[in-house]
Amino acid sequence: MANEVHIQTPYITLGQLLKEKSIISTGGQAKWYLRENTVLVNQEPDDRRGRKLYLGDVVAVPSGERFVINGMGAEAD
């Protein structure tokens, strides 16, 4: 099952998603992480940290986690 990522903006970048979900600890690590790991966006490999993710996009990371972009507003922690 995929985790929902709630955004209030039209999109979030792949690098921002990785940082927000604590897959990387700083935004500067995104370039390295995406070069060394296969991340799927909508079942297609993507290594662009600036890739814009819109509502309904699905991101899968090597750990097996999946994230779905949802526009419901601020995420409750």
Side-chain angles (χ1 to χ4, degrees):
M1 187 163 128
N3 299 313
E4 291 188 357
V5 177
H6 302 284
I7 61 173
Q8 294 181 331
T9 57
Y11 65 86
I12 185 172
T13 66
L14 183 54
Q16 289 170 331
L17 172 75
L18 294 173
K19 185 171 183 244
E20 182 177 314
K21 292 301 174 183
S22 300
I23 295 168
I24 57 174
S25 57
T26 66
Q29 292 178 328
K31 185 176 184 178
W32 170 85
Y33 182 86
L34 292 168
R35 185 175 46 227
E36 299 294 322
N37 297 279
T38 301
V39 174
L40 302 178
V41 177
N42 299 327
Q43 301 179 358
E44 298 282 335
D46 203 322
D47 62 358
R48 298 173 292 164
R49 67 180 184 239
R51 163 73 187 260
K52 293 178 182 176
L53 304 170
Y54 296 95
L55 301 181
D57 282 346
V58 179
V59 177
V61 294
S63 66
E65 290 181 279
R66 289 176 23 139
F67 304 98
V68 177
I69 309 303
N70 183 320
M72 297 290 291
E75 185 172 21
D77 288 325

